[in-house]
Amino acid sequence: MGAKYQQFHQRSISDPEGFWGEQSGLIHWNKPFSRVLDYSRPPFAKWFVGGETNLCYNAVDRHLKDRPDQNALIFISTETDTEKAYSFRELHAEVNRCAAMMQGLGVCKGDRVLIYMPMIAEACFAILACARIGAIHSVVFGGFASHSLANRIDDAKPKLIISADAGSRVGKVVSYKPLLDEAISLSKFPPKHVVLVNRGLDKTMERTAGRDLDWEELRTKHMNAQVPCVWLESNEPSYILYTSGTTGLPKGVQRDVGGHAVALAASMKHIYCGNAGETYFSTSDIGWVVGHSYIIYGPLIAGMATIMYEGTPVRPDGGILWKIVEKYKVSVMFSAPTAIRVLKKQDPAFLKKYDLSTLKFLFLAGEPLDQPTAQWISEGLGRPIIDNYWQTETGWPILANPMGVEDIPRKFGSPGFPMYGYNVKLLHESTSEEVGTDEKGVVAIVPPLPPGCMSTVWGNDERFVKTYFETIPGKMVYSTFDWGIRDKDGYYFILGRTDDVINVAGHRLGTREIEEAISSNPAVAEVAVIGVADQLKGQVPVAFAVVKDPAQIASREGRMKLEGEVMKTVDLQLGAIGRPARVHFVTILPKTRSGKVLRRSIQAICEGRDPGDLTTIEDVSALQQVRDALAGKA
Ligand code: ATP
Ligand code: MG
């Protein structure tokens, strides 16, 4: 860790009130807080107690004075060939209209509004309108089908749902309304009203009289609406967002108002280096936490223009992301390793085709960033690639490189260092003691959690404490459920999830470690390793690999030869104990639409069990490939 940053971080831990008191000046307060931190009921932390602010005010109204005509929101859809930019003044007007329509439907402070929408500008208006009137938004990723949606409706009990006729993926219309109707009919708490944006994509959309209303009609009614911001005490809830559910039942992450605003403003300054007047481009989706923090709130609070992109990284061609960077002079970009791996299969000339001179950094998060991918994009772009590690629960990075404080040299494969405010420890899984250099431990955070992190599980304080703070024996610390190590220079590495550990004849191996080893074989583009029950050894690792050159595995001989070579790679790097029992070859891996490999589902198939909830799967045919590979058909 650099000396300057070390001091910065140290102060945030030893004097959190002093540190965050200073950071609080980055946002506007309608009424000052009386205390920076109230930690009288651990592990619940209350930040900026008594202070009053509003997220929408900070994201929109605050910029009307200095930058009314600057772009605030740039909506780009390569699915519908639409592009529309909204200045802060225009965004303000749209948000006011939406806030007025919500109030007209009886939505008040504290009421929940569920947003089930594709990546369109109206989704951003709706989110900000909720924040404006103190309603609690719960955005549900548009890829979820009715059953998952119904569960979330029942948990959040929204007064209003805002949705649309359809989204579009890879040029195909994906209807939302039938899924929504089914979810509402499954739900025990159906909302009184549904407001629908009609994109004209699904001409067959049906409406339920009395319940379903048209966005455009309501908008026209409130064309000149001025809805004052409702000032909220810093600790009141601003939103609920369910975790991806990669490892189990999704948890309703609840966030506050003041701490959330301060944390995002601080991260824009110290981590992302985004300045007012510049453009931020996150390729995430508003249904995920990255979309909440770094499509909507973070960049807007910082006075930046933010891009909302409906489309894939390869349509119309593999240069589309860079074309957008050039056109809108993007300075900071945020994506996921999975997107870069997709681009890696494209012509590298796309990286050189556009003028990327405004781009300062590319941040990547959401899953492990393997060294070859990091290196490929870093060399291709000639810009710092910054891996950052965090969770829905934390809302902003736990580990990163604090570019705005000090540019510390990066190591490929490492997301860097604990961010200010996070007292990170690596704890031994059974003794709960801190592990030494290069020793594996559970990544834990000593509470209080910093501002911006979840305040509780929605409606269930007990689940919050039990799930996150009572899993490490004898210590009340927050568990991330991820394994990590710290090297002698203080760099952290994430080794995978604690429930992704394989127990081979008493040896505990992280699947990530085996994946890293296999990835270093130049023939392999991507790989997932899972533990499969084995009568003799308890569990054995089994790998599913995507190769760069499919010709290599066209024949049975080719597959067997490569399988042997991959096993040898693992032997050399990890030792024979990590050697997979089988290496299967596929052309895609089953992933969620946020790019996370569905290891649980692969494992279930390998063990002949039901693969579970697959509503967010990117491509169902990926599962068939797993089945075929196991059956020896591939
Ligand atoms: P659930 O908790 O419901 O199972 P989830 O953990 O997949 O879902 P998210 O909060 O979206 O939901 O993902 C956070 C997790 O993603 C982290 O705990 C970690 O396992 C992984 N992750 C995120 N960023 C990185 C990164 N930079 N490097 C390695 N892993 C990462
Ligand atoms: Mg998680």
Side-chain angles (χ1 to χ4, degrees):
M1 218 193 275
K4 187 171 168 210
Y5 179 67
Q6 197 158 14
Q7 226 177 4
F8 190 83
H9 180 263
Q10 186 48 44
R11 164 139 192 265
S12 75
I13 302 304
S14 58
D15 177 20
E17 300 207 37
F19 181 90
W20 289 107
E22 275 166 28
Q23 302 301 320
S24 72
L26 291 168
I27 69 152
H28 170 86
W29 295 90
N30 181 55
K31 183 181 153 207
F33 45 86
S34 52
R35 270 191 82 175
V36 175
L37 171 66
D38 173 0
Y39 194 52
S40 55
R41 190 167 73 103
F44 298 90
K46 287 181 146 189
W47 288 98
F48 310 115
V49 185
E52 284 180 6
T53 185
N54 181 290
L55 279 157
C56 181
Y57 184 89
N58 279 285
V60 185
D61 301 50
R62 198 185 182 198
H63 306 300
L64 291 177
K65 195 168 133 275
D66 293 338
R67 48 192 78 254
D69 299 312
Q70 178 204 302
N71 279 348
L73 175 70
I74 302 162
F75 165 63
I76 303 171
S77 172
T78 48
E79 296 288 336
T80 58
D81 273 325
T82 326
E83 241 176 85
K84 188 165 160 58
Y86 299 82
S87 66
F88 275 102
R89 199 201 306 273
E90 288 163 333
L91 178 60
H92 181 257
E94 293 293 354
V95 171
N96 273 281
R97 288 166 195 145
C98 184
M101 79 170 93
M102 286 183 190
Q103 283 185 334
L105 295 171
V107 177
C108 300
K109 177 181 152 183
D111 287 339
R112 274 78 60 207
V113 174
L114 190 142
I115 297 173
Y116 178 63
M117 293 175 91
M119 286 284 286
I120 51 176
E122 286 82 354
C124 177
F125 307 155
I127 288 170
L128 292 168
C130 286
R132 189 168 196 86
I133 63 172
I136 301 169
H137 58 75
S138 179
V139 183
V140 176
F141 176 59
F144 281 115
S146 34
H147 187 71
S148 311
L149 181 55
N151 285 341
R152 286 159 175 78
I153 295 175
D154 284 346
D155 194 61
K157 304 182 187 60
K159 196 168 218 175
L160 173 70
I161 295 185
I162 304 188
S163 188
D165 57 337
S168 176
R169 258 182 86 71
V170 203
K172 273 207 256 26
V173 171
V174 182
S175 295
Y176 277 42
K177 187 59 185 354
L179 299 177
L180 177 60
D181 283 339
E182 198 187 326
I184 293 177
S185 73
L186 288 171
S187 160
K188 293 193 269 307
F189 302 94
K192 226 168 136 207
H193 290 292
V194 174
V195 173
L196 294 155
V197 176
N198 185 4
R199 306 177 75 188
L201 291 176
D202 181 356
K203 305 263 190 298
T204 66
M205 177 164 71
E206 286 176 13
R207 292 173 181 80
T208 303
R211 187 196 70 187
D212 296 353
L213 305 163
D214 183 66
W215 172 290
E216 198 48 45
E217 258 173 47
L218 294 173
R219 176 178 175 272
T220 317
K221 242 170 72 184
H222 297 289
M223 225 38 204
N224 301 311
Q226 294 281 344
V227 177
C229 288
V230 173
W231 299 109
L232 300 166
E233 198 277 334
S234 176
N235 292 278
E236 291 187 79
S238 62
Y239 77 64
I240 310 166
L241 176 63
Y242 295 87
T243 58
S244 320
T246 312
T247 44
L249 261 190
K251 301 162 279 270
V253 168
Q254 177 181 322
R255 230 178 279 296
D256 66 4
V257 177
H260 179 199
V262 170
L264 293 182
S267 72
M268 292 305 294
K269 181 174 173 196
H270 305 308
I271 304 172
Y272 297 101
C273 303
N275 302 312
E278 299 176 352
T279 306
Y280 198 100
F281 179 19
S282 161
T283 65
S284 183
D285 188 286
I286 49 151
W288 309 123
V289 70
V290 179
H292 283 62
S293 296
Y294 299 112
I295 294 178
I296 313 257
Y297 290 117
L300 292 175
I301 288 173
M304 299 179 81
T306 186
I307 292 176
M308 203 167 163
Y309 174 58
E310 181 186 52
T312 74
V314 292
R315 239 176 64 105
D317 62 44
I320 181 65
L321 299 184
W322 317 119
K323 189 175 171 188
I324 293 173
V325 170
E326 176 184 272
K327 177 160 179 195
Y328 290 101
K329 303 192 167 49
V330 170
S331 70
V332 184
M333 196 170 161
F334 192 140
S335 193
T338 183
I340 306 306
R341 282 185 212 116
V342 167
L343 292 178
K344 221 162 112 185
K345 294 179 201 148
Q346 304 281 314
D347 185 350
F350 281 125
L351 291 173
K352 302 279 171 238
K353 191 171 162 194
Y354 297 96
D355 175 8
L356 306 181
S357 56
T358 53
L359 188 67
K360 296 187 285 190
F361 311 105
L362 171 62
F363 289 88
L364 297 173
E367 34 158 346
L369 174 62
D370 57 284
Q371 179 166 340
T373 303
Q375 198 153 353
W376 178 82
I377 189 69
S378 159
E379 283 162 10
L381 283 182
R383 294 290 187 289
I385 306 302
I386 299 155
D387 184 359
N388 51 131
Y389 159 82
W390 46 296
Q391 309 181 303
T392 308
E393 290 87 342
T394 67
W396 61 283
I398 304 170
L399 300 175
N401 201 315
M403 298 305 292
V405 183
E406 184 178 5
D407 181 355
I408 307 164
R410 284 163 295 283
K411 285 189 188 180
F412 288 129
S414 163
F417 314 97
M419 288 298 90
Y420 50 91
Y422 290 100
N423 187 3
V424 177
K425 303 272 181 219
L426 297 176
L427 302 180
H428 191 278
E429 59 176 317
S430 45
T431 67
S432 308
E433 293 304 320
E434 273 192 73
V435 298
T437 298
D438 287 330
E439 276 172 23
K440 188 163 102 184
V442 177
V443 181
I445 303 164
V446 180
L449 296 177
C453 289
M454 75 189 292
S455 21
T456 186
V457 170
W458 170 252
N460 200 338
D461 284 356
E462 197 187 319
R463 187 170 176 208
F464 173 64
V465 179
K466 271 219 168 87
T467 307
Y468 295 105
F469 292 91
E470 289 183 351
T471 60
I472 294 174
K475 286 210 167 120
M476 197 186 68
V477 291
Y478 173 89
S479 173
T480 60
F481 302 104
D482 288 312
W483 294 111
I485 57 160
R486 185 179 44 230
D487 73 7
K488 62 178 187 345
D489 304 319
Y491 289 74
Y492 281 68
F493 294 80
I494 298 296
L495 301 178
R497 296 165 187 257
T498 50
D499 58 359
D500 277 345
V501 166
I502 307 181
N503 195 331
V504 185
H507 297 272
R508 291 168 67 73
L509 300 165
T511 50
R512 169 89 201 275
E513 297 165 76
I514 306 174
E515 286 170 5
E516 281 280 324
I518 295 178
S519 294
S520 70
N521 185 306
V524 175
E526 203 174 359
V527 64
V529 171
I530 44 129
V532 177
D534 181 87
Q535 283 205 325
L536 215 58
K537 297 183 177 167
Q539 272 185 316
V540 290
V542 171
F544 289 84
V546 177
V547 288
K548 286 182 192 149
D549 176 14
Q552 255 188 305
I553 50 156
S555 69
R556 200 178 127 77
E557 289 68 38
R559 286 199 294 277
M560 283 175 55
K561 181 162 171 274
L562 190 58
E563 179 169 14
E565 281 169 17
V566 168
M567 288 182 176
K568 221 178 283 160
T569 311
V570 177
D571 286 359
L572 285 173
Q573 293 211 6
L574 279 182
I577 185 72
R579 183 199 301 161
R582 283 301 314 271
V583 183
H584 297 289
F585 298 104
V586 289
T587 59
I588 44 167
L589 293 172
K591 284 185 187 175
T592 64
R593 283 165 51 176
S594 58
K596 293 178 194 294
V597 175
L598 285 160
R599 292 188 182 75
R600 258 189 323 154
S601 304
I602 306 178
Q603 184 186 42
I605 292 174
C606 290
E607 294 180 350
R609 290 180 286 112
D610 178 61
D613 182 1
L614 295 169
T615 46
T616 57
I617 193 163
E618 168 85 30
D619 186 339
V620 195
S621 74
L623 286 178
Q624 196 51 44
Q625 287 204 21
V626 169
R627 289 194 188 94
D628 289 349
L630 289 170
K633 284 189 218 158

